[in-house]
Amino acid sequence: MKNIRNFCIIAHIDHGKSTLADRLLDATGTVTSREKQDQLLDSMDLERERGITIKSHAIQMDYVHKGEKYTLNLIDTPGHVDFSYEVSRSIAACEGALLIVDAAQSIQAQTISNLYLALENDLTIIPVLNKVDLPSANIEEVTDDIVDLLGCDPEEVIPASAKTGVGIEEILTAIIDRVPPPKGDPNQSLQALIFDSVYNPFRGVETYFRVLNGEISKGQHIKFMATGKSYFADEVGTLKLKQVPKTVIKTGDVGYLITGIKEAKEVKVGDTITDSKNPTTNMVEGFEDVKPMVFAGIYPVDTEEYEELRNSMEKLQLNDASLVFQPESSAALGFGFRCGFLGMLHLEIIQERLEREFDMTVITTVPNVSYQAYTHKDPETPILVNNPSDLPEPSSLNRVEEPYIKATIITKSDFVGNVMSLCIEKRGEITNQTYLTTERVELSFDMPLAEIVFDFYDRLKTVSKGYASFDYSPIGLRTSQLVKVDVLLNGNIVDALSALLHKDNAYDIGKKMCEKLRQLIPRQQFDIPIQAAIGAKIISRETVKALRKDVTAKCYGGDISRKRKLLEKQKKGKKRMRQVGNVEIPQEAFMAVLKLND
Amino acid sequence: MVEALCVELELRKAELQEEVETIYFGGGTPSLLASEELAAIFETIYKHYKVSKNPEITLEANPDDLSEEKLKTFKSAGINRLSIGVQSFFEEDLQLMNRAHNEKEAFASIEMAQLFFENISIDLIYGIPGMTNERWLKNLEIAISLNVPHLSCYALTVEPKTALETFIKKGIVPEVEDGVAADHHKLLIAETSKAGYDNYEFSNFGKDGFYSKNNTAYWQGKPYLGIGPSAHGYNGKERSWNVSNNTIYIKKIREGELPLTKELLSINDRFNEYVMTGLRTKWGISMKRVETEFGSEYRKHIDNQSKNHINNGILKFDGDILKITAKGKFLSDGVASDLFFID
């Protein structure tokens, strides 16, 4: 046990976490050059393309230091605020963390909140100043920022470049010297923390765990404490680049478990594995049932593909337990599903995976958060509103409560004014403002979660010229003055476009939604009025003018196949549109109404 | 070039077994051909192909190319139909479209051509920026009074990367409004029908016995051979086209090689082409033909996809023939793509 080191990496998106991890794998000989590819740990195409880590990953490295062999377990964590619970569980499985800071960009909000998590879990922090080879690197200043933040010695900060390989040996040495070996009692009954799971269509769900006390053996009868379900450990092993089966995984080590579980939702991140005959009484602290934050309807573009969509969603849920869904129907779109997501990125990922992995063409309706409504009749019993059309009639409505968050934004002092105006426009109340350095300011706001869903990230990026980072955590529900804004196309309400908005913003947003839709809905053979309404009251109106000419003048010998190809392309575009009443609405229009300021 | 054309004709003689019913000289300015050149081409055709007794032989010409001498040459070479690119009888329109001829030449060329040819077609363009309804109507009246038996009338299309597109972008020329073109189209339909022209294809109007046989063959899916740079051919299964670059074309032909690109049409491609061309012509889409040539799945597809358009008065059934209505004519591309069959 004294030669085991468990560590994770804390870094902001683009600060070079995945590349640095690749370098560590190289240096320890964990990958041969034949197996090499960029962002090795990011196994989904989506992750590589977007340069972000969506799922946690783990890998074991062997490293010889001063003649002694060490086992290093790297637990890679997701790099987005939507997945902060997963990050917290990965951190809880480690004794140390590499804090990677981009030498040009310095510390970001997301890094700080994950760093606090690591500190709360008593992790040893090894600060690494990455990308020191960049011409724009600001080595001294950023080192000072790190020293200020951690209260550490400047010498403790390791300058490195994942690109050139500078500092990699120093990092490995620091992991061995500074990170303490795991503590834990091999003689106690089994207590292991689940920090991730991966769905394998052939072998069932693979559970990744860290043994805190006791040990886990092949063939052992085990129990997951939160779900209360018992299993037989068909296989245990360690995670090299490929899985290596073992007979036992001992105290302090990291490994995988295969039990034949077919559904990802049986394996809850944060759950405790114990022996079923001789269970521990202590569950690992910090377990939570992950709750979806954002809801949206997902519908097939072609109504006949509903059953296919259901199959695809079920398959997706097998390997993404945080996706929840239930059938719903919409007057405009027919049958589909109301789905819950961890956040907007998660929603985008699900939509993309449905299209790529399952070849589905889907419409995602305007997303919303989860509200609680109370009626006059029964002002104490909350009605859950995950869909704007579930909101009770205004006359019977006593009040509505909406989820609030604490938003933390770190930006340059030049942009404080811009960021504040944006947050105030988004109904934020400032609660704190701290100068981290003379240049860098941390702002805290209490804000409705719904405002984050509507067009917040992109605008924050714009008003801060990219120099703002953002993190949030839920702080409960507050009463709000909300109204339901409906959109009518050709006089008919399209429920999939309805949104719950604060009454002060409703007119403005309703107007912008109409304008956006006018740009997105193609001209058809008749005028299409687009209206926004609160109840029976129309608050805005636009018109898509009728198409009057859609014909080619010449269609002779050489024109025929060119023209056919053009019209075939057009037809394919139309297949991605949904007919509501007699209006054809392009798939992207449903989501684009969120990006009102483009 | 003419030498190369003759070599290509010889190289491809096996491709066309059917009797040749029409010959068309088009694209660019075939009216520049000298009498010996025309004679050489005809000689090659008659030597290697079976030509029917009374073939339709058309030549495209610009008004400024036509002289009495030229017309005589064409006539004696065997040309029996002229297609003249008049475009408009008004100076403003001709200048805007950057035409080499003026309004006087437009008149004169037609009157002169009529001394030698009866079967004459002229091209006219409507929906031109700045063209009023009155001016378009005048154009039509002139064409009708000249007693030309065939008209090709095209709605102006602003092609990308042309001078006109640049002018419109810069605001030098006003934008082409769809509504204006649609109004001109209405006038066109009304005037030609009064004067006894039949609108047998979207842009083509002919008096009885004066339809373009050559162009009709394209729309009815008959095989044809395309000779020369950029020329397209069709054999019922495959479309092929020559390289467009003149130098490469001549070089390849000299080496005895056909500079062709071929494309095999799938059943969907052929169906889609039938739908597209069928909707443009007065012959429409025959359900019987769809059933026999493509199968009942395609027939069902048409029934499903046409419902809305029939309800909206854009399409109609005339017995077993699906046709576009007068109301739908100006929207026929979008309607065709709605009826397309795509995997």
Side-chain angles (χ1 to χ4, degrees):
Chain A
M1 195 156 60
K2 75 176 179 33
N3 285 6
I4 295 176
R5 298 292 183 273
N6 298 317
F7 69 102
C8 59
I9 303 181
I10 297 171
H12 191 67
I13 296 170
D14 283 344
H15 281 199
K17 185 179 63 158
S18 298
T19 321
L20 193 100
D22 288 353
R23 280 284 162 175
L24 295 177
L25 300 184
D26 273 354
T28 54
T30 312
V31 277
T32 62
S33 52
R34 195 174 51 82
E35 297 162 325
K36 238 163 130 177
Q37 57 174 322
D38 283 347
Q39 283 180 262
L40 207 66
L41 290 183
D42 292 344
S43 50
M44 270 194 258
D45 286 346
L46 254 177
E47 294 184 314
R48 290 212 184 90
E49 266 168 43
R50 293 189 172 210
I52 52 169
T53 307
I54 298 166
K55 286 203 62 85
S56 303
H57 302 270
I59 194 158
Q60 192 175 76
M61 299 172 265
D62 293 323
Y63 189 61
V64 179
H65 180 63
K66 289 182 184 161
E68 252 185 278
K69 200 178 143 197
Y70 289 87
T71 300
L72 311 182
N73 289 309
L74 163 60
I75 297 172
D76 192 18
T77 55
H80 192 274
V81 60
D82 281 5
F83 307 105
S84 46
Y85 173 71
E86 281 79 355
V87 177
S88 82
R89 295 303 82 203
S90 296
I91 284 174
C94 298
E95 279 80 32
L98 297 179
L99 171 70
I100 299 186
V101 179
D102 186 318
Q105 294 186 39
S106 198
I107 302 151
Q108 308 288 314
Q110 176 96 59
T111 322
I112 294 192
S113 66
N114 287 341
L115 174 68
Y116 288 160
L117 263 177
L119 292 171
E120 281 166 27
N121 282 276
D122 287 326
L123 263 54
T124 301
I125 309 293
I126 302 173
V128 175
L129 187 64
N130 195 21
K131 303 193 189 181
V132 290
D133 59 307
L134 285 186
S136 54
N138 205 340
I139 297 172
E140 279 172 35
E141 210 171 292
V142 178
T143 305
D144 286 347
D145 289 353
I146 296 173
V147 169
D148 279 354
L149 183 70
L150 292 179
C152 65
D153 220 296
E155 278 74 53
E156 288 176 40
V157 181
I158 304 174
S161 163
K163 210 170 127 201
T164 64
V166 168
I168 300 301
E169 293 297 323
E170 287 83 345
I171 292 171
L172 287 165
T173 307
I175 291 168
I176 288 164
D177 289 347
R178 297 190 211 168
V179 176
K183 294 185 205 83
D185 186 347
N187 302 316
Q188 274 188 35
S189 52
L190 172 64
Q191 186 204 33
L193 167 68
I194 297 174
F195 62 84
D196 195 19
S197 67
V198 173
Y199 179 76
N200 180 321
F202 306 107
R203 313 179 72 195
V205 181
E206 298 165 359
T207 305
Y208 294 178
F209 61 85
R210 148 78 194 269
V211 183
L212 295 164
N213 288 299
E215 51 186 42
I216 181 167
S217 314
K218 181 178 160 74
Q220 191 174 349
H221 282 278
I222 49 160
K223 189 173 146 187
F224 289 1
M225 293 177 80
T227 60
K229 294 199 172 176
S230 295
Y231 306 96
F232 179 76
D234 291 336
E235 184 179 321
V236 294
T238 53
L239 297 148
K240 304 279 180 171
L241 194 61
K242 294 200 176 76
Q243 294 171 345
V244 183
K246 296 270 158 105
T247 49
V248 60
I249 304 293
K250 294 188 169 164
T251 321
D253 211 348
V254 170
Y256 71 91
L257 161 74
I258 291 170
T259 56
I261 296 174
K262 292 287 178 217
E263 290 187 46
K265 59 185 173 195
E266 285 187 33
V267 183
K268 293 189 187 292
V269 169
D271 199 351
T272 305
I273 310 173
T274 192
D275 187 82
S276 37
K277 288 179 205 121
N278 179 23
T280 174
T281 45
N282 300 325
M283 248 187 101
V284 182
E285 275 176 35
F287 172 76
E288 281 175 28
D289 241 329
V290 201
K291 284 198 191 73
M293 303 285 268
V294 174
F295 294 82
I298 291 189
Y299 290 80
V301 167
D302 181 347
T303 46
E304 283 172 16
E305 289 181 351
Y306 172 73
E307 280 305 324
E308 228 178 306
L309 178 61
R310 179 204 293 278
N311 283 333
S312 309
M313 302 272 290
E314 279 168 357
K315 280 189 193 138
L316 259 185
Q317 202 181 37
L318 288 180
N319 62 39
D320 183 348
S322 46
L323 168 70
V324 295
F325 65 90
Q326 61 184 66
E328 73 168 3
S329 66
S330 143
L333 300 177
F335 292 105
F337 300 95
R338 175 85 358 196
C339 308
F341 308 94
L342 299 176
M344 287 302 283
L345 178 69
H346 188 214
L347 182 157
E348 279 176 46
I349 289 166
I350 295 294
Q351 192 179 0
E352 271 197 58
R353 290 187 67 188
L354 280 172
E355 302 225 332
R356 283 190 197 198
E357 295 169 31
F358 299 94
D359 200 25
M360 298 294 308
T361 311
V362 296
I363 290 167
T364 308
T365 65
V366 180
N368 57 269
V369 299
S370 187
Y371 300 93
Q372 295 199 349
Y374 297 83
T375 54
H376 293 303
K377 228 184 189 172
D378 188 0
E380 295 311 317
T381 312
I383 300 166
L384 196 64
V385 179
N386 285 340
N387 180 342
S389 53
D390 294 343
L391 191 75
E393 280 305 304
S395 55
S396 66
L397 199 61
N398 177 281
R399 67 186 189 281
V400 185
E401 291 178 352
E402 65 173 327
Y404 263 66
I405 52 155
K406 175 176 183 281
T408 308
I409 296 167
I410 297 178
T411 187
K412 283 190 170 177
S413 44
D414 299 356
F415 303 117
V416 168
N418 290 351
V419 171
M420 273 205 207
S421 316
L422 172 66
C423 290
I424 289 164
E425 184 197 319
K426 294 285 188 182
R427 298 192 279 141
E429 288 162 35
I430 187 151
T431 55
N432 197 12
Q433 177 177 9
T434 317
Y435 276 80
L436 300 173
T437 67
T438 50
E439 278 293 296
R440 300 169 58 74
V441 186
E442 185 187 272
L443 301 164
S444 300
F445 295 88
D446 287 355
M447 265 169 89
L449 175 65
E451 297 290 344
I452 308 297
V453 173
F454 264 88
D455 191 27
F456 182 75
Y457 291 96
D458 291 342
R459 290 197 56 205
L460 181 64
K461 234 188 252 170
T462 313
V463 302
S464 66
K465 303 201 165 122
Y467 287 104
S469 61
F470 169 73
D471 189 36
Y472 70 82
S473 52
I475 52 170
L477 293 156
R478 293 186 189 178
T479 302
S480 268
Q481 296 289 316
L482 295 173
V483 291
K484 180 163 148 253
V485 176
D486 293 318
V487 173
L488 293 82
L489 294 180
N490 217 6
N492 303 314
I493 290 185
V494 180
D495 53 4
L497 289 167
S498 296
L500 295 183
L501 300 170
H502 191 265
K503 71 172 178 38
D504 293 347
N505 296 342
Y507 280 79
D508 186 41
I509 295 179
K511 185 165 177 282
K512 284 181 177 162
M513 282 171 84
C514 290
E515 284 166 8
K516 191 83 192 180
L517 285 169
R518 180 175 53 77
Q519 295 162 18
L520 290 168
I521 295 176
R523 294 166 68 195
Q524 286 161 43
Q525 288 156 7
F526 41 87
D527 281 359
I528 305 165
I530 304 170
Q531 295 157 302
I534 298 172
K537 190 178 170 201
I538 303 293
I539 57 173
S540 178
R541 185 193 161 106
E542 296 276 341
T543 306
V544 178
K545 285 299 219 179
L547 182 65
R548 292 204 57 196
K549 173 176 179 262
D550 181 18
V551 65
T552 326
K554 294 188 184 185
C555 194
Y556 301 120
D559 306 312
I560 292 176
S561 86
R562 189 164 40 93
K563 190 71 208 168
R564 169 181 45 86
K565 284 174 193 161
L566 205 77
L567 295 183
E568 278 171 354
K569 214 170 132 193
Q570 224 179 70
K571 168 86 179 186
K572 281 185 189 142
K574 284 183 201 164
K575 276 193 154 181
R576 299 183 74 86
M577 289 200 252
R578 185 55 182 272
Q579 185 145 359
V580 177
N582 51 357
V583 182
E584 303 251 326
I585 310 174
Q587 177 200 28
E588 68 269 19
F590 292 91
M591 281 292 277
V593 293
L594 294 181
K595 301 189 173 167
L596 295 175
N597 285 286
D598 285 3
Chain B
M1 175 62 76
V2 173
E3 196 190 311
L5 295 178
C6 292
V7 174
E8 193 190 355
L9 278 166
E10 191 180 343
L11 285 171
R12 300 180 67 177
K13 63 184 176 190
E15 287 183 38
L16 205 63
Q17 297 299 336
E18 295 88 342
E19 219 172 49
V20 175
E21 288 167 18
T22 69
I23 300 172
Y24 197 97
F25 293 86
T29 40
S31 45
L32 292 177
L33 286 171
S35 61
E36 311 82 64
E37 293 175 318
L38 273 173
I41 293 171
F42 279 117
E43 201 192 304
T44 316
I45 295 175
Y46 281 93
K47 187 173 161 196
H48 297 295
Y49 298 84
K50 232 185 303 163
V51 181
S52 74
K53 260 191 195 139
N54 294 305
E56 175 194 280
I57 306 177
T58 312
L59 182 127
E60 278 185 2
N62 287 328
D64 47 312
D65 288 339
L66 292 178
S67 62
E68 216 175 301
E69 201 188 331
K70 275 265 168 190
L71 287 162
K72 274 183 197 157
T73 310
F74 297 153
K75 179 104 183 170
S76 57
I79 308 282
N80 55 27
R81 185 171 180 271
L82 281 184
S83 168
I84 307 175
V86 172
Q87 323 295 11
S88 171
F89 293 103
F90 290 89
E91 204 62 46
E92 298 94 313
D93 302 330
L94 293 171
Q95 276 175 15
L96 192 95
M97 288 180 294
N98 209 11
R99 288 290 148 173
H101 63 276
N102 56 34
E103 54 179 56
K104 257 192 204 145
E105 284 169 316
F107 279 106
S109 65
I110 295 170
E111 284 176 335
M112 202 191 331
Q114 283 175 324
L115 299 174
F116 300 89
F117 294 91
E118 184 198 8
N119 196 349
I120 292 176
S121 172
I122 64 171
D123 290 359
L124 292 175
I125 297 186
Y126 58 93
I128 297 172
M131 183 188 250
T132 57
N133 286 351
E134 289 71 39
R135 195 153 87 216
W136 172 237
L137 201 56
K138 263 274 156 56
N139 263 316
L140 286 171
E141 281 168 10
I142 294 168
I144 290 164
S145 69
L146 283 167
N147 209 16
V148 180
H150 187 277
L151 305 171
S152 294
C153 301
Y154 303 115
L156 179 73
T157 312
V158 183
E159 298 287 349
K161 289 175 196 159
T162 55
L164 187 57
E165 192 204 35
T166 317
F167 289 152
I168 289 173
K169 273 191 181 156
K170 286 187 178 161
I172 300 169
V173 170
E175 215 165 315
V176 187
E177 277 176 54
D178 290 359
V180 173
D183 290 345
H184 289 180
H185 182 249
K186 267 188 207 143
L187 290 172
L188 169 65
I189 300 293
E191 289 304 303
T192 49
S193 130
K194 254 193 291 179
Y197 292 85
D198 194 7
N199 184 198
Y200 68 104
E201 193 262 354
F202 177 72
S203 297
N204 287 285
F205 303 79
K207 289 200 172 160
D208 211 12
F210 287 97
Y211 297 177
S212 165
K213 288 187 191 133
N214 185 78
N215 293 346
T216 304
Y218 296 139
W219 306 318
Q220 296 187 339
K222 292 187 181 161
Y224 53 92
L225 205 57
I227 303 291
S230 278
H232 285 242
Y234 178 57
N235 66 8
K237 292 186 191 107
E238 231 173 32
R239 289 198 180 276
S240 58
W241 55 94
N242 275 328
V243 64
S244 59
N245 183 292
N246 289 358
T247 322
I248 298 174
Y249 169 78
I250 293 171
K251 188 171 166 268
K252 290 267 178 192
I253 291 287
R254 270 201 190 132
E255 291 163 1
E257 198 186 316
L258 291 174
L260 270 182
T261 311
K262 285 183 184 173
E263 180 188 46
L264 188 68
L265 297 186
S266 67
I267 182 165
N268 282 353
D269 293 342
R270 283 190 290 116
F271 171 80
N272 292 346
E273 289 188 357
Y274 178 51
V275 164
M276 183 177 82
T277 51
L279 283 185
R280 292 175 67 93
T281 64
K282 71 173 205 177
W283 299 285
I285 307 169
S286 150
M287 291 305 117
K288 208 165 131 202
R289 185 169 157 195
V290 169
E291 290 259 6
T292 53
E293 200 176 326
F294 304 103
S296 53
E297 197 190 342
Y298 290 83
R299 167 68 205 263
K300 240 184 268 159
H301 175 78
I302 288 207
D303 283 338
N304 285 335
Q305 300 293 308
S306 60
K307 251 182 235 151
N308 268 332
H309 289 307
I310 291 173
N311 290 340
N312 293 335
I314 301 284
L315 288 173
K316 62 163 190 249
F317 267 109
D318 187 349
D320 148 80
I321 310 283
L322 184 65
K323 290 180 180 174
I324 198 123
T325 62
K327 185 182 163 194
K329 259 186 187 164
F330 224 52
L331 301 168
S332 63
D333 278 2
V335 179
S337 89
D338 286 340
L339 299 184
F340 270 19
F341 196 99
I342 283 182
D343 292 326

